[in-house]
Amino acid sequence: MNGTEGEKRKLHPLPLEEIKKGLADAPLFLGIDIDSLEGHLARIQGVTLHDGDLLLAPEQKNDKVYIVLAGGLRVHLDDLTLPPLLVMRRGECAGELSIIDHDNPSAYVVAEGECRLLVIDQEVLWSLVDNSHALARNLLYTLSQRMRFGHSVIINGFEAQRQWQHYATIDALTDLHNRRWLNMAFDRQLERCSTSGQPLGVIMLDIDHFKHYNDNYGHPAGDCALSAVARTIRKHLRPNDIAVRYGGEEFVILLPDTDLDGAVSIAERLRAAVAATVITDRERNPLPPVHISLGVAEACPGNHESSDQLLARADEALYRAKERGRNQVAKGRSRSSIGAQ
């Protein structure tokens, strides 16, 4: 419904006592002797809206303040199909901001149920402000509350965005970075390797016989094992090292400024630490330990190797570690030796 046309159809006079009672219940008129406004009350009218009727919209001009007598007004920032930011009830007002700043409304305001409103034209409002310091104060207070609410919406929006970004890049079970984050970060690490002239070590590992672990002890126990392995990995890495849950029981670790021998040393430390890790279920009951197999590769400055190529070499080394009996570390072949085949 077009708000302006709806107002013209539905504006009607109200009994003086109903106007007085409506103003007395409105925070905008707090502390004001309503009887002292006698000369202006006859110019205040009423309007009735039905559920879903549009009162205010950003694409429409507004020159009135509306005070809720009965029912409610839903405020939507943009999408009318989403839940409202707030619902205004008896005594609360809408439309005052667009009068103060001479701009269109900043949100959609829609009737909730059958809604009855007082309607105060902007000329009447400014006349009332000229004659009442209390009304001017209340209007300023209302404006400040609107600004505070707007700030809270912005802050909550940033916080929601921050949380979304967190959960979009962090694995919920292990609290490690996830594969999506790795896809974004790996190329940056390779570029850093190229510009700094320092190597980048990569470890790919997974938990040995993890399917049997899940089958024998249940998926909740498997989740506990995954969490325990992730904690152990995080505990035994350096501050600049990056651990990622690559998928299922598989993990990838990026080791900046680390050559192949250094990466192998770190991998051996992780293998031993995981083997010694005590795993418990959520009730602190002991669960069987797990072991890991690890494949190690190195990106050297100037090789111009892609992240997929480097991961493939680490994965090949991991496969060889499993073939040799698992619970061990295998080195990946150099890129030059692969190219020579």
Side-chain angles (χ1 to χ4, degrees):
M1 180 184 85
N2 182 289
T4 303
E5 291 178 358
E7 291 159 14
K8 290 178 180 178
R9 284 199 305 270
K10 294 184 178 181
L11 282 179
H12 55 78
L14 291 172
L16 185 60
E17 288 305 313
E18 186 174 9
I19 294 174
K20 288 183 178 181
K21 183 66 170 67
L23 295 179
D25 289 341
L28 188 60
F29 288 84
L30 180 68
I32 297 173
D33 180 6
I34 303 301
D35 290 328
S36 69
L37 308 177
E38 198 75 43
H40 299 87
L41 299 185
R43 300 174 63 187
I44 297 177
Q45 296 179 284
V47 66
T48 300
L49 303 178
H50 300 290
D51 187 50
D53 282 351
L54 183 64
L55 177 67
L56 299 173
E59 61 269 15
Q60 297 174 358
K61 289 288 185 183
N62 173 60
D63 59 1
K64 294 175 175 59
V65 171
Y66 302 89
I67 297 175
V68 179
L69 291 176
L73 293 173
R74 301 194 307 268
V75 179
H76 298 263
L77 193 59
D78 44 27
D79 192 338
L80 292 172
T81 65
L82 296 178
L85 287 175
L86 74 156
V87 178
M88 296 179 172
R89 299 298 183 187
R90 181 175 175 85
E92 295 185 277
C93 63
E96 76 288 342
L97 288 182
S98 54
I99 290 177
I100 293 172
D101 64 10
H102 303 288
D103 202 351
N104 287 10
S106 58
Y108 292 95
V109 180
V110 181
E112 181 177 78
E114 184 165 301
C115 182
R116 296 174 57 242
L117 308 169
L118 288 179
V119 183
I120 306 175
D121 189 82
Q122 65 177 353
E123 293 181 4
V124 177
L125 179 68
W126 290 127
S127 178
L128 289 168
V129 168
D130 288 340
N131 288 277
S132 172
H133 293 300
L135 182 58
R137 179 196 63 222
N138 293 343
L139 190 61
L140 182 61
Y141 177 77
T142 300
L143 174 62
S144 70
Q145 291 298 100
R146 293 279 190 264
M147 292 178 65
R148 284 183 182 272
F149 180 77
H151 289 162
S152 70
V153 169
I154 292 171
I155 291 170
N156 290 338
F158 280 131
E159 177 61 18
Q161 183 181 29
R162 187 193 68 79
Q163 290 184 0
W164 180 88
Q165 290 172 338
H166 174 82
Y167 290 117
T169 58
I170 298 295
D171 176 64
L173 177 63
T174 62
D175 206 33
L176 298 179
H177 290 294
N178 61 20
R179 187 168 181 171
R180 172 179 177 164
W181 183 89
L182 179 67
N183 291 338
M184 297 184 293
F186 209 147
D187 288 340
R188 292 199 300 269
Q189 289 297 323
L190 286 173
E191 183 179 352
R192 180 180 180 275
C193 166
S194 178
T195 56
S196 69
Q198 296 297 318
L200 173 68
V202 177
I203 299 173
M204 181 172 279
L205 68 92
D206 70 8
I207 301 174
D208 294 334
H209 303 297
F210 190 67
K211 182 180 183 304
H212 296 303
Y213 197 93
N214 274 333
D215 291 343
N216 291 334
Y217 307 108
H219 287 279
D223 287 348
C224 291
L226 283 168
S227 296
V229 169
R231 286 194 300 272
T232 300
I233 290 173
R234 200 163 41 235
K235 180 179 178 181
H236 288 83
L237 291 179
R238 303 164 302 181
N240 290 336
D241 296 336
I242 301 165
V244 175
R245 185 184 179 191
Y246 195 64
E249 72 273 24
E250 201 164 31
F251 299 82
V252 169
I253 302 169
L254 304 184
L255 305 168
D257 306 330
T258 306
D259 62 14
L260 188 61
D261 289 338
V264 168
S265 176
I266 293 172
E268 286 287 2
R269 185 170 73 231
L270 292 177
R271 186 196 60 76
V274 169
T277 296
V278 176
I279 303 174
T280 60
D281 64 17
R282 290 180 176 84
E283 284 73 41
R284 302 294 182 182
N285 298 312
L287 290 169
V290 296
H291 299 93
I292 58 175
S293 298
L294 308 93
V296 182
E298 173 193 8
C300 296
N303 275 356
H304 305 295
E305 191 171 14
S306 72
S307 57
D308 287 342
Q309 290 171 322
L310 188 57
L311 282 176
R313 288 202 289 114
D315 188 48
E316 181 189 37
L318 172 60
Y319 182 77
R320 284 190 281 109
K322 292 178 180 180
E323 278 192 323
R324 294 171 182 172
R326 303 179 188 266
N327 189 24
Q328 58 184 276
V329 177
K331 289 184 182 181
R333 290 178 294 170
S334 69
R335 184 167 182 260
S336 56
S337 67
I338 294 174
Q341 290 183 347

